[in-house]
C-alpha cells in the first residue's frame, strides 16, 4: 500500500502556522514542498507566503523570487498582492524603473482591491522623478476610487 499523496493545501496551512509561530525554516520547507507539488489552487498563496518568510529571513532576493512566482501564477488575489510587495521592495531600494513597471503590472491585473495602492505607488514614483503633473493624475484617480468604492463591502 502506498502512502497518501501530500496535500498542498495542508502544507500551505502548515507553512502559515509555522510562519506565525516564528519557525521560519520549517515554514519555508512546508511552503517549498507545497510549491513542488504543483497544485495550481495553492501555488499563488504558497509563493506569496514564501516571499514573506524569505523577507523575515533577511533574504530579499529569495523573497523577490517567490513573489515573482506568485505573480506568474496569475492568481487573482495573490498575484497582484505579491506584485505590490515586490514594487514596494524595488521602491525602497531606489529602483524606480522596476517599481514603476511592477506597479503598472498591478494595474494591468485589473484587481480592484489593489488598484488604489498601485496608483499611489505610481504617483509617488512620478513625484520623485519630478513629474508633478503625472503624479497628480495618478493621485486623482486614486482619490476617485476612494469616493466611488467607499460603500463597497470589500473595501478596506
Amino acid at each position: 500500500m502506498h502512502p497518501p499523496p501530500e496535500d498542498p493545501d495542508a502544507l500551505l496551512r502548515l507553512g502559515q502556522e509555522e510562519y506565525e509561530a516564528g519557525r521560519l525554516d520549517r515554514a519555508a520547507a512546508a511552503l517549498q514542498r507545497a510549491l513542488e507539488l504543483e497544485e495550481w489552487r495553492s501555488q499563488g498563496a504558497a509563493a506569496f507566503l514564501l516571499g514573506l518568510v524569505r523577507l523575515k529571513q533577511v533574504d530579499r532576493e529569495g523573497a523577490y523570487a517567490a513573489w515573482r512566482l506568485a505573480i506568474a501564477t496569475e492568481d487573482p488575489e495573490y498575484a497582484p498582492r505579491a506584485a505590490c510587495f515586490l514594487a514596494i521592495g524595488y521602491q525602497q531600494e531606489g529602483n524606480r524603473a522596476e517599481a514603476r513597471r511592477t506597479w503598472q503590472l498591478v494595474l494591468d491585473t485589473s484587481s480592484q482591491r489593489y488598484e488604489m495602492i498601485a496608483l499611489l505607488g505610481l504617483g509617488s514614483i512620478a513625484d520623485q522623478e519630478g513629474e508633478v503633473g503625472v503624479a497628480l493624475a495618478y493621485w486623482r484617480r486614486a482619490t476617485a476610487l476612494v469616493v466611488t468604492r467607499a460603500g463597497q463591502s470589500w473595501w478596506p
Side-chain angles (χ1 to χ4, degrees), residues 28-107:
L31 295 167
Q32 190 62 50
R33 183 64 189 135
L35 289 169
E36 290 167 0
L37 295 174
E38 298 183 0
E39 171 58 49
W40 67 269
R41 290 175 307 176
S42 62
Q43 291 286 295
F48 174 76
L49 184 55
L50 182 59
L52 294 181
V53 170
R54 295 295 186 216
L55 193 61
K56 281 226 182 213
Q57 291 176 320
V58 194
D59 178 4
R60 189 178 285 250
E61 287 308 313
Y64 287 8
W67 290 330
R68 284 186 202 102
L69 178 59
I71 292 165
T73 68
E74 298 181 358
D75 181 284
E77 174 60 27
Y78 291 101
R81 186 184 297 189
C84 287
F85 275 71
L86 187 58
I88 290 167
Y90 286 139
Q91 211 162 342
Q92 288 174 339
E93 292 176 349
N95 187 344
R96 291 193 297 255
E98 281 302 308
R100 184 182 290 222
R101 185 189 67 72
T102 308
W103 283 127
Q104 186 59 53
L105 189 119
V106 175
L107 284 182

